[in-house]
Amino acid sequence: MNTVINSMYAKLPNLVIGFHGCRAKTYRNVLYRHQHLKRSANKYDWLGNGIYFWENSYERAYEWAKQRYGKKGAVLGAVIDLGLCLNLTDYNSVDILRQGYEMLRMRCEVFGIPLPQNTKGKSKTDLLLRDLDCAVIQQIQEYGMP
């Protein structure tokens, strides 16, 4: 199991263009005041805690920002060096995700805590709260990173 998890962070030798939907105030603070984006740490963040970007899709980021913030929505663009990352488009990621789930399941069992569940959101914009997905990704990151 350890070899699969440790091999998940392969160095990807490419740059991608990413777009981050945000408030107009955040946009101005990052561009003009050189403030850093704040990472999201919600238990329902689909791909774990961090800063989310739409890859090569300004339109998706803009749509998300407008849906979330209305007329105060904006989009930041960035060139991102993927570096060491879990590539979910790679077939080997299925095994990594499966092992992460099993580690989380065993951890919950040992500590007597309920396994997180994905649940339907309470509003039209929250289609699914991905507590389980987030916990699995966080488990993989905690186990696989030094």
Side-chain angles (χ1 to χ4, degrees), residues 7-145:
S7 68
M8 71 179 227
Y9 291 101
K11 173 75 174 143
L12 297 178
N14 56 329
L15 301 174
V16 297
I17 306 297
F19 296 97
H20 177 77
C22 59
R23 288 185 175 96
K25 181 179 179 181
T26 301
Y27 173 90
R28 289 189 303 274
N29 286 339
V30 169
L31 283 183
Y32 304 124
R33 294 188 177 106
H34 307 288
Q35 292 181 0
H36 295 281
L37 291 171
K38 293 179 184 156
R39 72 192 285 270
S40 179
N42 300 304
K43 68 178 186 172
Y44 54 81
D45 288 334
W46 188 2
L47 299 173
N49 304 151
I51 301 170
Y52 283 73
F53 288 83
W54 293 101
E55 183 178 350
N56 296 323
S57 185
Y58 173 89
E59 292 80 13
R60 289 290 303 270
Y62 183 72
E63 178 184 311
W64 185 90
K66 288 298 180 185
Q67 181 181 33
R68 178 107 181 194
Y69 304 116
K71 292 180 181 180
K72 295 183 180 189
V75 175
L76 287 164
V79 177
I80 302 168
D81 179 357
L82 294 179
L84 299 176
C85 69
L86 174 60
N87 183 355
L88 295 176
T89 64
D90 185 332
Y91 186 74
N92 292 325
S93 295
V94 173
D95 289 333
I96 294 166
L97 291 168
R98 186 178 299 115
Q99 289 181 19
Y101 172 82
E102 286 303 318
M103 287 188 298
L104 176 66
R105 187 187 59 73
M106 287 188 291
R107 183 174 157 201
C108 288
E109 189 176 305
V110 165
F111 289 106
I113 56 176
L115 186 66
Q117 299 294 312
N118 292 338
T119 57
K120 186 171 169 49
K122 294 180 177 81
S123 72
K124 291 179 183 179
T125 58
D126 294 328
L127 300 178
L128 189 62
L129 300 177
R130 298 181 179 273
D131 295 20
L132 177 61
D133 296 349
C134 181
V136 169
I137 296 292
Q138 289 303 118
Q139 179 68 44
I140 291 168
Q141 288 179 350
E142 290 169 17
Y143 184 79
M145 295 179 79

